[in-house]
Each structure stands twice: as structure tokens, then as C-alpha cells.
């Protein structure tokens, strides 16, 4: 099991590589019996499709957490 603090750090680091994210506003993680709940609030630059940014962010965060665990 990976601590919530480590997961938050991994999510933040993964977000640094995603084009279009202006800054991270809030990251919360919670381990549950069924798995991990991760809530990420971001600020994005104007003109880049949000769904594209979120898909890339979700993929990068998932990969980072899977590698760590």
C-alpha cells in the first residue's frame, strides 16, 4: 500500500508533464477498500481542449501510481 502523501506527490509530478495545465489547485487522495479515489483540481490555459488535458493527466497519473505500487 502506498501512502496518500506519496500518491499526491506522484500525481503532482505527473501533472508537470501535461501540456495545457497552468497550475495544480488541489489534490486529494483516499484509499478505500475498493481502490483509490483521487481528486485533482487544475487550472488550464485557454484554447486547449479540457478533455484532451484530462485524458493525458489521467493516463500519466495512473502510470506513475502503478509503477510505484
Amino acid at each position: 500500500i502506498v501512502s496518500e502523501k506519496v500518491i499526491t506527490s506522484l500525481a503532482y509530478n505527473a501533472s508537470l508533464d501535461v501540456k495545457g495545465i497552468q497550475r495544480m489547485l488541489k489534490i486529494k487522495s483516499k484509499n478505500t477498500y475498493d481502490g483509490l479515489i483521487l481528486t485533482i483540481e487544475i487550472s488550464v490555459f485557454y484554447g486547449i481542449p479540457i478533455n484532451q488535458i484530462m485524458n493525458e493527466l489521467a493516463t500519466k497519473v495512473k502510470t506513475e501510481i502503478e509503477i510505484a505500487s
Side-chain angles (χ1 to χ4, degrees):
I1 297 176
V2 181
S3 78
E4 292 177 15
K5 200 170 198 179
V6 171
I7 290 171
T8 302
S9 178
L10 290 169
Y12 176 80
N13 289 334
S15 74
L16 297 176
D17 296 333
V18 178
K19 181 182 175 184
I21 294 180
Q22 185 176 18
R23 64 188 162 122
M24 298 294 289
L25 301 174
K26 188 186 332 182
I27 305 173
K28 292 196 293 188
S29 65
K30 183 176 181 179
N31 287 315
T32 67
Y33 179 76
D34 295 326
L36 175 69
I37 298 172
L38 191 60
T39 304
I40 302 174
E41 294 181 22
I42 60 173
S43 174
V44 298
F45 288 107
Y46 180 79
I48 300 174
I50 294 173
N51 61 341
Q52 175 184 333
I53 295 169
M54 293 309 298
N55 287 336
E56 185 177 349
L57 178 60
T59 301
K60 288 185 182 272
V61 169
K62 180 181 176 190
T63 301
E64 288 295 320
I65 292 171
E66 286 175 346
I67 290 170
S69 59

